[in-house]
Amino acid sequence: MRPNHSAIGASRYRAIAGLLACAAALVAPALPLHADEAQPLRLCADPTNLPFSSDSPSQPGFYVEIGQALAQALGRPIAYDWYKSYFGKRTVRVTLLGKQCDAMIGLPRSEDFMGPAVIFSNSFAKEGYALVAAKGQVLGGIDRLRGKRVAVQFASTPQNLLASRDDIQKVTVLSPEEGMQALDQGRADVAFIWAPVAGWLNKTTYNGRYQIELTEGEGLSWDAAIGFAKTSAELRDRIDAVLPQLQKTIGELAVKYGLPSGAPVRFGGAPAAVTTGTGTGADVAQVANVVATETKGDAAAPHDDAVGAGKEIFNGTCAHCHGPDAVQSERKIDLRLLRHRYGDDMREKFWTTVHEGRPTKGMPSWKEVFTDDQFDSIFSFLLTVQSESND
């Protein structure tokens, strides 16, 4: 996590503001001010997440420029709290709910996302996944993908949506960047990836050579909004009041950063993941629909509070690799099969893995990140999703 920076530097800002306040007191009577009038609007943002955000002043990103426009409309300076968004909900807890910043732009406008601790502005955009292909191809719904090689990001809604379609060849990639590369290198006919990143790369790397069609459906698109801690309702209301004035600016910024537009293609339901919008698809926090599975818990059923806490941690951190709500089409990392694989040794295997990691398999150690009580809650959640193997 990077330190909080404002345009003039926090310490210098306080020193100058103090001197000016003293000088003003000597020459003029005090004027009534709002308590937050001279305070910067503190924005949570990822320093390396274009097209959304960047700590580069020459290319700050879609969300950061929206934040700058909001601060100007409110008559306040702006400051940034830089923190990597791939930590998912943990990012929101540490920064926004930890009072390190006032607002986080690009969260999904849904009470299911960390409500009621987080409250939301009105929506300022709709974001989601898109189909990317060479210009001239006729895309459309899922049946139009039959017989094609389709690049899908690992543990994403498109991967889950196409998992049962044997007539569509899936090309699994780890990021939207890899999806565009697969398309450009002829390894895929279509990329079904995170739309804002696809548009940004098409504009900046591929000279606009691809057509991009937005999609909609369960877990494929949602309203993007600005998130606040529940104690910041007054600030939320002030921002809602100025958002309509900025719609033209927001539209121009969307074009500047290559965000796709147009009527979306409708897809049916699938086990769905919803990202925070602050990141590139599956590398950010995910909230999923519950998929019913046969439960094979321990003799004592896990406590509901522990299950809920474990599920939140899992979806905020572990879903990046293991799928939202542990719904994963790749059997090797499908944690719903832990009981099937390890039987009575399931808990011991889980404990060893989360503490020590499996570096050769890409699994880091988490013992410096979470407490043993948090590991217990994750395990309690995993007990509720265990199922038999279907082979």
Side-chain angles (χ1 to χ4, degrees), residues 318 321-322 335 350 352-366 375:
C318 314
C321 290
H322 296 288
L335 299 187
F350 166 83
T352 300
T353 302
V354 296
H355 274 77
E356 306 303 329
R358 299 179 69 185
T360 60
K361 303 291 186 181
M363 168 71 177
S365 166
W366 294 98
F375 286 137

Tab-separated table of all heavy atoms in Angstrom, residues 318 321-322 335 350 352-366 375:
chain	number	residue	atom	x	y	z
A	318	CYS	N	-10.038	-15.487	-2.051
A	318	CYS	CA	-9.751	-16.799	-2.628
A	318	CYS	C	-10.442	-17.035	-3.971
A	318	CYS	O	-10.018	-17.888	-4.754
A	318	CYS	CB	-10.160	-17.915	-1.658
A	318	CYS	SG	-9.641	-17.642	0.044
A	321	CYS	N	-8.803	-17.388	-7.656
A	321	CYS	CA	-8.342	-18.650	-8.241
A	321	CYS	C	-9.373	-19.770	-8.121
A	321	CYS	O	-9.495	-20.596	-9.025
A	321	CYS	CB	-7.048	-19.113	-7.572
A	321	CYS	SG	-5.617	-18.086	-7.956
A	322	HIS	N	-10.097	-19.796	-6.999
A	322	HIS	CA	-10.949	-20.951	-6.712
A	322	HIS	C	-12.410	-20.739	-7.068
A	322	HIS	O	-13.231	-21.635	-6.840
A	322	HIS	CB	-10.818	-21.337	-5.237
A	322	HIS	CG	-9.443	-21.793	-4.867
A	322	HIS	ND1	-8.928	-23.018	-5.271
A	322	HIS	CD2	-8.461	-21.190	-4.157
A	322	HIS	CE1	-7.693	-23.138	-4.799
A	322	HIS	NE2	-7.380	-22.055	-4.134
A	335	LEU	N	-12.504	-26.523	-4.748
A	335	LEU	CA	-12.470	-26.795	-3.315
A	335	LEU	C	-13.744	-27.448	-2.804
A	335	LEU	O	-13.803	-27.846	-1.639
A	335	LEU	CB	-12.193	-25.497	-2.543
A	335	LEU	CG	-10.854	-24.812	-2.875
A	335	LEU	CD1	-10.623	-23.638	-1.939
A	335	LEU	CD2	-9.695	-25.801	-2.786
A	350	PHE	N	-6.278	-28.632	4.659
A	350	PHE	CA	-6.618	-27.218	4.518
A	350	PHE	C	-5.685	-26.366	5.377
A	350	PHE	O	-5.122	-25.376	4.912
A	350	PHE	CB	-8.079	-26.994	4.935
A	350	PHE	CG	-8.443	-25.549	5.142
A	350	PHE	CD1	-8.787	-24.747	4.064
A	350	PHE	CD2	-8.436	-24.985	6.419
A	350	PHE	CE1	-9.116	-23.402	4.246
A	350	PHE	CE2	-8.765	-23.651	6.613
A	350	PHE	CZ	-9.107	-22.858	5.530
A	352	THR	N	-2.710	-26.965	6.662
A	352	THR	CA	-1.322	-26.939	6.195
A	352	THR	C	-1.172	-26.049	4.964
A	352	THR	O	-0.223	-25.269	4.844
A	352	THR	CB	-0.850	-28.367	5.856
A	352	THR	OG1	-0.953	-29.178	7.036
A	352	THR	CG2	0.591	-28.362	5.368
A	353	THR	N	-2.132	-26.148	4.057
A	353	THR	CA	-2.035	-25.404	2.794
A	353	THR	C	-2.146	-23.904	3.001
A	353	THR	O	-1.370	-23.128	2.451
A	353	THR	CB	-3.114	-25.888	1.809
A	353	THR	OG1	-2.959	-27.293	1.587
A	353	THR	CG2	-2.999	-25.156	0.473
A	354	VAL	N	-3.132	-23.456	3.813
A	354	VAL	CA	-3.293	-22.008	3.978
A	354	VAL	C	-2.158	-21.413	4.806
A	354	VAL	O	-1.806	-20.239	4.632
A	354	VAL	CB	-4.661	-21.657	4.598
A	354	VAL	CG1	-5.785	-22.063	3.667
A	354	VAL	CG2	-4.839	-22.277	5.982
A	355	HIS	N	-1.570	-22.211	5.702
A	355	HIS	CA	-0.465	-21.704	6.508
A	355	HIS	C	0.864	-21.681	5.747
A	355	HIS	O	1.623	-20.721	5.823
A	355	HIS	CB	-0.304	-22.533	7.790
A	355	HIS	CG	-1.177	-22.081	8.914
A	355	HIS	ND1	-2.524	-22.373	8.960
A	355	HIS	CD2	-0.914	-21.337	10.020
A	355	HIS	CE1	-3.047	-21.831	10.058
A	355	HIS	NE2	-2.090	-21.198	10.722
A	356	GLU	N	1.144	-22.774	5.048
A	356	GLU	CA	2.448	-22.919	4.403
A	356	GLU	C	2.425	-22.610	2.913
A	356	GLU	O	3.466	-22.360	2.309
A	356	GLU	CB	2.985	-24.345	4.627
A	356	GLU	CG	3.026	-24.773	6.090
A	356	GLU	CD	3.849	-23.822	6.957
A	356	GLU	OE1	4.818	-23.235	6.438
A	356	GLU	OE2	3.505	-23.660	8.140
A	357	GLY	N	1.231	-22.657	2.298
A	357	GLY	CA	1.133	-22.439	0.862
A	357	GLY	C	1.621	-23.639	0.071
A	357	GLY	O	2.122	-24.624	0.627
A	358	ARG	N	1.488	-23.527	-1.239
A	358	ARG	CA	2.047	-24.526	-2.173
A	358	ARG	C	2.724	-23.733	-3.286
A	358	ARG	O	2.184	-23.582	-4.387
A	358	ARG	CB	0.947	-25.439	-2.719
A	358	ARG	CG	0.237	-26.246	-1.645
A	358	ARG	CD	-0.851	-27.124	-2.222
A	358	ARG	NE	-0.296	-28.209	-3.036
A	358	ARG	CZ	-1.043	-29.058	-3.740
A	358	ARG	NH1	-2.363	-28.938	-3.746
A	358	ARG	NH2	-0.479	-30.017	-4.436
A	359	PRO	N	3.896	-23.183	-3.003
A	359	PRO	CA	4.544	-22.246	-3.932
A	359	PRO	C	4.721	-22.790	-5.347
A	359	PRO	O	4.601	-22.039	-6.317
A	359	PRO	CB	5.899	-21.974	-3.264
A	359	PRO	CG	5.671	-22.260	-1.816
A	359	PRO	CD	4.679	-23.385	-1.771
A	360	THR	N	5.001	-24.072	-5.475
A	360	THR	CA	5.211	-24.633	-6.815
A	360	THR	C	3.923	-24.697	-7.617
A	360	THR	O	3.953	-24.830	-8.841
A	360	THR	CB	5.826	-26.040	-6.732
A	360	THR	OG1	4.934	-26.895	-6.005
A	360	THR	CG2	7.181	-25.997	-6.026
A	361	LYS	N	2.773	-24.604	-6.930
A	361	LYS	CA	1.473	-24.639	-7.596
A	361	LYS	C	0.849	-23.243	-7.706
A	361	LYS	O	-0.287	-23.099	-8.167
A	361	LYS	CB	0.508	-25.554	-6.831
A	361	LYS	CG	0.999	-26.983	-6.657
A	361	LYS	CD	1.029	-27.731	-7.975
A	361	LYS	CE	1.393	-29.203	-7.749
A	361	LYS	NZ	1.458	-29.948	-9.031
A	362	GLY	N	1.584	-22.230	-7.243
A	362	GLY	CA	1.069	-20.870	-7.321
A	362	GLY	C	0.223	-20.443	-6.135
A	362	GLY	O	-0.379	-19.373	-6.150
A	363	MET	N	0.185	-21.285	-5.081
A	363	MET	CA	-0.620	-20.975	-3.898
A	363	MET	C	0.279	-20.352	-2.829
A	363	MET	O	1.201	-21.002	-2.330
A	363	MET	CB	-1.261	-22.261	-3.372
A	363	MET	CG	-1.889	-22.156	-1.989
A	363	MET	SD	-3.388	-21.172	-1.977
A	363	MET	CE	-3.868	-21.356	-0.240
A	364	PRO	N	0.055	-19.073	-2.474
A	364	PRO	CA	0.908	-18.434	-1.474
A	364	PRO	C	0.520	-18.853	-0.052
A	364	PRO	O	-0.552	-19.403	0.174
A	364	PRO	CB	0.625	-16.941	-1.680
A	364	PRO	CG	-0.790	-16.913	-2.172
A	364	PRO	CD	-0.967	-18.155	-3.007
A	365	SER	N	1.392	-18.570	0.886
A	365	SER	CA	1.058	-18.734	2.299
A	365	SER	C	0.244	-17.522	2.754
A	365	SER	O	0.546	-16.389	2.391
A	365	SER	CB	2.350	-18.836	3.122
A	365	SER	OG	2.063	-18.675	4.495
A	366	TRP	N	-0.790	-17.787	3.558
A	366	TRP	CA	-1.659	-16.711	4.018
A	366	TRP	C	-1.545	-16.469	5.526
A	366	TRP	O	-2.323	-15.706	6.090
A	366	TRP	CB	-3.112	-17.026	3.660
A	366	TRP	CG	-3.354	-17.027	2.193
A	366	TRP	CD1	-3.404	-18.098	1.357
A	366	TRP	CD2	-3.574	-15.886	1.354
A	366	TRP	NE1	-3.631	-17.714	0.066
A	366	TRP	CE2	-3.750	-16.350	0.035
A	366	TRP	CE3	-3.649	-14.510	1.605
A	366	TRP	CZ2	-3.979	-15.494	-1.028
A	366	TRP	CZ3	-3.886	-13.658	0.536
A	366	TRP	CH2	-4.052	-14.149	-0.764
A	375	PHE	N	-9.152	-18.276	9.449
A	375	PHE	CA	-9.008	-19.545	8.736
A	375	PHE	C	-10.121	-20.518	9.129
A	375	PHE	O	-10.665	-21.234	8.287
A	375	PHE	CB	-7.645	-20.180	9.023
A	375	PHE	CG	-6.489	-19.521	8.332
A	375	PHE	CD1	-5.305	-19.289	9.000
A	375	PHE	CD2	-6.573	-19.138	7.011
A	375	PHE	CE1	-4.233	-18.679	8.367
A	375	PHE	CE2	-5.511	-18.532	6.355
A	375	PHE	CZ	-4.335	-18.299	7.045
